[in-house]
Amino acid sequence: MRSDPALSLKNLTVCYGGGCEACRGEMAKGMKKNRCPVCGSIWALREVSLSLFSGEILGVVGESGSGKSSLLKCLYFDEIPLGGQLTLPDIAENAFSLSRQAQRRIRNAHMGMVHQNPMLGLRMDYSAAANIAENLIAANCRNVRLLQDRIDELLDIVEMSSYRRRETPRHFSGGMQQRVQIAKAIANRPDILLLDEVTTGLDLSVQAKILDVLKKIIRDFNISAVLVSHDLAVIRMLAHRTVVMLDGKIIEQGLTDQVLEDPQHFYTQQLVHSLLCI
Amino acid sequence: MNSNYNFAYLDEGSKREVRRTILKAIALPGYQTPFGSRELPISRGWGTGGLQITLSLLLPQDVLKVIDQGNDDSVNAVSIKRFIDECSDVETTTDSTKATLIQSRHRIPEIPLRNDQILVLQVPEPEPLRLVEGSEALTRQMHADRDYSLMWLRLFEDLVQFGEITAAAGYPVMVEERYLMSPSPIPRYDVPRLNMSECLCLFGAGREKKIYAIPPYTSVEALTFEDVPFSIESFGDQACAKCGAVGVFLDEIYDQRTGEKYYQCSDSGYCKSRVENAV
Ligand SMILES: Nc1ncnc2c1ncn2[C@@H]1O[C@H](COP(=O)(O)OP(=O)(O)OP(=O)(O)O)[C@@H](O)[C@H]1O
Ligand SMILES: [Mg+2]
Ligand SMILES: [Zn+2]
């Protein structure tokens, strides 16, 4: 499993609200919570470091507001971090300090994202086909025949019937919206998939089908993935390693079985306990 | 000429500012250059952008032509012409070969324009990306990044839904492979005629306070996919009922009494000169 990292992240810091002198200084010592008591800024991520190895699925768990989505948004260059280094294969510089255009090129060539909120991940007033084509077009495909063929291929992969291609996702069920998001995310054959709560809010039978589709995609196309989920069953089923986040920090990490069976940190113990009970 | 007015209405300072903006626009083909749009005794949305360009460039020796949807005699064209006449003595014409300055809305004259002529087009909405993005800050960013994939996506969506690209008037074009530009609401027929045109084309949007330009011999390409050729309106072998012209842009007209449909040149000046020369 352990080969070269598909990405490696050092000291990622994200602050919503700009911060003040107090919290900037406080950062080093470490605030208890992620919210600055003086200015109210949210330090959504505080010096987060992690690596994703090639072919690996990395689980990310943590309570609501712990910074999971912010982490994925930074990796997808959707959020500009206050600080941190992102190292990617064959890119000498810190990817966070590249130009917007360079970041967009990297994203189009190497990354796919499934957003927690389908409203952010999809254009609700465009057809499913156009949604799936969006990243292909962003990567400069200007041939309609090629686009149509690839869309058919992708609909097949996510097990969606081709006759729904002209419908808009607004009228789709949650599960169907996620299938469109997944098809869109893998359209450019990315090396890295960022999955934010792909199955949250779906009923169990739909969840299982979507997870099967994902498992197959990750295996067949040799993709590395960061998988964010509230659901420890999902994490247990898919993730090789898992990190646990609390208030913008990673408090525990290790092989998934280890983290879930024998949590070291008090918070993780509580989390595992509470989530296994419900 | 009413001597209470400045020559060409605007004061010389305002004209100079508009001319500077025009120079900048020419230096950046297709780029929407902001300018301090002035109030004119014509309401915004009725061609005040084009009019400010015309007034700023006008010289006493100019010969002016004003058309609206190809027509020299429409209410809008006539009122602009009358206004310019009030504040200058320049000669006007309907013959586009004689004009040195042509202000137009929704059409480019049928006879190819020359290098010693200037075409001024009135623009209601200068931003071609407005259709796909409402925020001015974001559309500016897209132009800066030359990131037009949302426009391509819009065209693709048309193909998914209708099997063809539906954009008719104001079809989006790439200028010098750099800026996406709205050619103003001209028909598709006129779009390829902007490419490598000998004549300087200036575009003015009064309400949106933008001027942009296509200098002579500039590449202008309609946005379309590799395997979907750009097509223009076709009138088959229909001929103009007045002058008999074929292969030109025609208007559909219904006879009020008989209800019968017939065709007529959209460029009335062109039609008129054909009729006169035939006699
Ligand atoms: N755009 C934003 N502006 C201000 N605060 C934000 C913004 N986005 C997130 N936050 C705050 O940052 C913190 C981390 O948010 P984030 O969405 O990353 O959490 P999460 O772990 O994904 O939570 P959830 O499980 O609810 O999705 C939260 O306190 C949130 O309120
Ligand atoms: Mg989240
Ligand atoms: Zn603070």
Side-chain angles (χ1 to χ4, degrees), chain A residues 15 17-24 26 31 35-43:
Chain A
C15 175
C20 65
E21 268 175 37
C23 57
R24 292 220 174 108
E26 198 79 2
M31 296 182 302
R35 185 175 183 281
C36 169
V38 180
C39 69
S41 293
I42 303 282
W43 292 80

Side-chain angles (χ1 to χ4, degrees), chain A residues 68-69 116 196:
Chain A
K68 305 181 298 292
S69 294
Q116 178 170 11
D196 200 351

Side-chain angles (χ1 to χ4, degrees), chain A residues 58-129:
Chain A
L58 178 70
V60 178
V61 297
E63 66 184 12
S64 188
S66 57
K68 305 181 298 292
S69 294
S70 303
L71 171 67
L72 292 198
K73 282 182 197 157
C74 288
L75 294 178
Y76 200 58
F77 304 115
D78 259 355
E79 187 70 61
I80 301 165
L82 193 65
Q85 293 93 49
L86 175 62
T87 312
L88 296 168
D90 303 323
I91 292 160
E93 276 172 87
N94 174 7
F96 287 142
S97 44
L98 295 171
S99 68
R100 268 197 319 270
Q101 284 106 314
Q103 290 181 341
R104 215 173 23 238
R105 270 196 297 277
I106 293 173
R107 174 161 78 183
N108 289 335
H110 301 290
M111 296 183 177
M113 170 111 159
V114 172
H115 292 258
Q116 178 170 11
N117 180 354
M119 297 288 281
L120 293 179
L122 297 175
R123 295 180 189 279
M124 292 300 173
D125 46 357
Y126 281 66
S127 63

